[in-house]
Amino acid sequence: MHGHRVFSGRILQLTCVARVVVVVMMMMMAGMMTSCQSLEMTSTSSRSSPSVTDSTAAAAAAAAAAAQEEGVGGGGRTSGGGGGGAACARRSSGVGGGNVSCVSECQCTLTGVVLQCLARDSLFAFPVIRGELCQHRVREIFIRDQPRLVDINQSTVGSYPNLEKLTIQYSGLKAIGIEAFKTSRYLKNVNLQSNELTVLSWSTFIDAPRVIDLDITGNPLLCSCDARWMINTTAVFPSLNLRPPEKCRDGNVSRPLRNMKWPACGETD
């Protein structure tokens, strides 16, 4: 009887141990499954989640496609506002590449309809962004502190047929091509303050009849016949609001522009 009880107790103990072993094994298997699921989720997440570069590329591609779908109006003036300009900015890679004349990385930005180049000494020529659509979007160009920007002409300014306002300040601008504004039929405001202009002929603006505001203060103009028209602009441009320099250079002497005598100048000079 005593032996039977001992045997039954041992069986009970073994049964309990077996149960504990089973529970431990089940916990271990559950932990392994959880780990595997976590690894699988991580792997799946890594495969399915695009990188920042991929996302940016996809966004840029979508913007480019949208921009291409919009197209450029033929004949008339291209319509569109800030949204199109933003698409142009992405499509042009921040205006940093292509035909833009830059010292290293171009510091121009296209925001909406405004092209700005404000980082000092980052240009050595007038900036021309890529893409006809983007060029047609631009209404205003603002350039400042560019000592190596020495001239502008029709081949560069004419890239922006809808340009209304042009500002080039505190730069090295010395020459403006005689036909620089030939195709700028919507140009109204021109600010060339504080550059290096010594001569500016009235004929430069003969093909831009809509220009109503011209600021050339702060330029070292020569006291030549080319400056005579600035004294009485109404004779040539009745609606032009001109702000010329107060003085011009006559050799080493600065003379008040409005008090200059202009002998030996032709009537249209």
Side-chain angles (χ1 to χ4, degrees):
M1 186 71 176
H2 176 73
H4 179 71
R5 289 179 180 177
V6 172
F7 180 75
S8 299
R10 288 182 177 179
I11 292 177
L12 182 61
Q13 289 178 352
L14 290 172
T15 302
C16 292
V17 170
R19 288 179 179 177
V20 171
V21 170
V22 170
V23 170
V24 171
M25 290 181 65
M26 291 178 65
M27 291 177 64
M28 291 177 64
M29 291 179 64
M32 291 177 64
M33 291 179 64
T34 302
S35 300
C36 290
Q37 289 176 352
S38 298
L39 288 172
E40 184 178 357
M41 290 176 65
T42 302
S43 176
T44 304
S45 177
S46 299
R47 292 194 303 268
S48 61
S49 299
S51 65
V52 174
T53 303
D54 292 340
S55 300
T56 304
Q68 289 178 347
E69 288 178 0
E70 288 184 11
V72 180
R77 185 172 182 172
T78 304
S79 62
C88 287
R90 289 191 291 269
R91 188 179 179 190
S92 299
S93 301
V95 199
N99 299 325
V100 180
S101 302
C102 307
V103 174
S104 55
E105 180 182 358
C106 187
Q107 298 300 319
C108 297
T109 57
L110 177 59
T111 305
V113 298
V114 182
L115 178 64
Q116 293 185 326
C117 306
L118 306 180
R120 180 174 175 79
D121 201 14
S122 60
L123 298 177
F124 58 83
F126 192 81
V128 178
I129 61 178
R130 293 178 296 171
E132 191 178 63
L133 173 62
C134 301
Q135 293 171 0
H136 279 243
R137 293 286 186 187
V138 174
R139 300 287 190 273
E140 179 179 352
I141 297 177
F142 192 99
I143 299 173
R144 186 185 178 100
D145 295 323
Q146 306 300 331
R148 284 190 270 187
L149 174 58
V150 297
D151 60 24
I152 59 175
N153 52 56
Q154 195 274 332
S155 65
T156 52
V157 179
S159 300
Y160 306 99
N162 293 326
L163 184 64
E164 297 178 359
K165 185 175 182 180
L166 173 63
T167 299
I168 303 177
Q169 294 179 331
Y170 303 98
S171 297
L173 188 62
K174 296 180 179 180
I176 300 178
I178 201 68
E179 296 183 343
F181 306 120
K182 186 175 182 178
T183 57
S184 302
R185 52 182 175 169
Y186 297 108
L187 187 62
K188 298 178 182 179
N189 303 93
V190 180
N191 187 333
L192 305 175
Q193 178 187 10
S194 299
N195 284 284
E196 300 296 330
L197 292 171
T198 57
V199 176
L200 185 61
S201 174
W202 64 273
S203 56
T204 303
F205 300 95
I206 201 68
D207 292 318
R210 294 194 181 189
V211 174
I212 58 175
D213 193 83
L214 174 60
D215 187 348
I216 53 175
T217 56
N219 283 278
L221 288 181
L222 298 177
C223 299
S224 66
C225 293
D226 285 318
R228 183 182 178 184
W229 70 277
M230 301 177 189
I231 305 303
N232 184 17
T233 58
T234 56
V236 184
F237 305 106
S239 59
L240 178 63
N241 175 30
L242 173 67
R243 291 188 292 280
E246 293 184 1
K247 296 183 178 182
C248 60
R249 290 191 305 160
D250 185 7
N252 295 326
V253 180
S254 293
R255 302 185 184 279
L257 183 63
R258 296 193 177 278
N259 296 337
M260 280 294 298
K261 305 298 181 181
W262 308 95
C265 288
E267 290 300 322
T268 57
D269 288 340

